[in-house]
Amino acid sequence: MRAVAARVSRASVTVDGTVTGAIDEPGLLVLLGIHVDDDVAKAAVMARKLHELRILRDEQSCATAGAPLLVVSQFTLYGDTKKGRRPSWTKAARPEVAEPLVDAVVAELRGRGATVATGVFGAMMAVESVNDGPFTVLVEV
């Protein structure tokens, strides 16, 4: 499981002209990719890491600051570009496997008390963010 976590002052996701998820205060925008070998146990570990990741201002985490997260599924994080000019997606989990695992990460975060907004799995989404810093890290479990 792989995530790109960006510290943002605000972020939103729009699908077909409608905002489907937004955070209007400092927090994390999380682009989340699911690998073919991922499982629910990894979802729990990823949720804990994201919630406790100390990249907000003053080395705070979403857990300590009560900051929200916007989680957006992003299968392209497992695009392999080593050969040729066209990425290979063989390491990205199929939608029927990936969607429940994205939902599991979100549920784990909410179970930890986090405020979580989301995109729409599989939809063509317009993601907007105002990066703070910018401060962006890759998180893998």
Side-chain angles (χ1 to χ4, degrees):
M1 198 168 288
R2 180 178 287 165
V4 174
R7 184 173 74 191
V8 297
S9 56
R10 67 180 181 275
S12 66
V13 177
T14 303
V15 177
D16 294 328
T18 302
V19 174
T20 60
I23 57 174
D24 296 321
E25 60 186 285
L28 293 182
L29 168 60
V30 177
L31 305 178
L32 181 64
I34 307 299
H35 188 272
V36 293
D37 295 332
D38 286 342
D39 57 24
V40 175
K42 284 189 178 180
V45 172
M46 178 60 82
R48 180 186 56 77
K49 280 186 160 269
L50 292 170
H51 196 227
E52 296 178 4
L53 190 62
R54 293 172 32 180
I55 65 169
L56 299 179
R57 299 245 173 196
D58 300 321
E59 291 192 20
Q60 293 283 314
S61 67
C62 289
T64 60
L69 300 95
L70 173 57
V71 177
V72 179
S73 62
Q74 186 82 31
F75 82 94
T76 60
L77 290 179
Y78 278 105
D80 185 352
T81 59
K82 290 179 184 164
K83 293 182 181 179
R85 296 176 305 220
R86 182 178 298 161
S88 167
W89 310 112
T90 58
K91 294 183 181 176
R94 303 223 11 102
E96 59 273 11
V97 172
E99 185 174 15
L101 291 175
V102 170
D103 291 344
V105 170
V106 170
E108 287 281 342
L109 284 165
R110 289 179 175 150
R112 296 175 63 82
T115 299
V116 184
T118 65
V120 176
F121 188 91
M124 184 61 80
M125 297 177 272
V127 180
E128 293 185 59
S129 66
V130 177
N131 287 15
D132 180 15
F135 200 122
T136 304
V137 296
L138 183 62
V139 181
E140 293 189 271
V141 297

